[in-house]
Amino acid sequence: MPTLAALSLSHVLKLNEASLSGVKMGSKWFTGGVVAAPRGRIQFDFVLDGIRYRPSIKRPPSETNLRRARERLGVIKRQIQLGIFSFAEEFPDYRYPERLTGISKFQFCGEVFDDYLAHCEARLRRDDLAAATVRSYRKILNGVWRPHLGQLVFQQIRYSHLIAIADGHDWSKKTYNNAISALKRAFDFGYRDRPLRENPARQLRCIRLRKSDRPNIDPFSMHDAEALIAPFTAIGARRRAITMSFAFSRACGLRRKLPSCSPMSTSSTALSASTRRASMASIGARQRPAKIAASNSARGRWPF
């Protein structure tokens, strides 16, 4: 005959088994949405865009790591509510990226380049961007950056990767600045959907061009200058103002003055006498009103 104590203990055990029979050991109620997965991994369980995802990370499922994973899951759920969650940054080694949809979809850098170039084409049709600028952006993005970045996840690109690509090219200062500028514009376009994320391309800096780095302007030759002025002088006296204006502009820096050592700069090969007279006449016409005003002011008259 079993004793009363033995009967009461077996009864309590049966009640406990009955109360726990409706609770599954893997349910989120019991695990907090985080469970230990095989091969030393921790699995998360959450819903994004109406779809249930169960990605995992490679962490030993110890008690401390499971507690930290539950805390991280709480942060993930808050990010989902705010619309700032990035699946690619949180779980970069997810095995099924093709299953992601909507804002959780992995976006590759080549897709961002395509979207930006399409935006530039739209601006070109609105006459908001020059055709040469669009061609330059397409040439730089497709020829320089796409071979290195096209197949990478856009959110996973880091500054160190970008600067390593730029430093690997033997560019002049101007070419370097053009390549960096086009990349920064494309990345700024891509990160407009991610305002709270840090754009790594913004840390890239263009090289400051000094005056010595700028090429010298190629001046007109004497033959070209005479050929440009000749049609105006042939029109007649009533169009002489046009001749004087052009000659004065040319003498004052329309093109840079030739070096003193150049034979073109000697008096024997200077402008023709008629052109010099037109230049002096234009200068005198501009200075004469100022002289008259100064004389009138000295005599106590108003300059007008």
Side-chain angles (χ1 to χ4, degrees), residues 137 140-141 144-145 159 162-167 169 171-188 200-207:
Y137 288 166
I140 293 173
L141 293 177
V144 176
W145 299 107
Y159 165 80
L162 298 178
I163 196 63
I165 297 173
D167 292 342
H169 290 80
W171 288 329
S172 65
K173 292 183 179 181
K174 191 174 187 312
T175 304
Y176 179 90
N177 290 347
N178 291 339
I180 295 298
S181 177
L183 179 71
K184 292 176 69 173
R185 291 178 182 274
F187 267 64
D188 286 341
R202 287 191 176 181
Q203 305 301 324
L204 297 173
R205 295 290 182 265
C206 292
I207 302 175

Side-chain angles (χ1 to χ4, degrees), residues 230-280:
F232 297 116
T233 57
I235 294 176
R238 56 195 180 95
R239 296 292 182 89
R240 191 60 57 86
I242 300 176
T243 305
M244 291 189 297
S245 176
F246 184 83
F248 180 76
S249 300
R250 193 269 180 196
C252 293
L254 179 63
R255 289 289 184 176
R256 183 171 293 183
K257 188 178 180 181
L258 292 173
S260 58
C261 60
S262 174
M264 287 292 186
S265 63
T266 60
S267 58
S268 61
T269 57
L271 289 173
S272 63
S274 60
T275 303
R276 291 199 301 272
R277 286 196 298 271
S279 300
M280 296 305 297

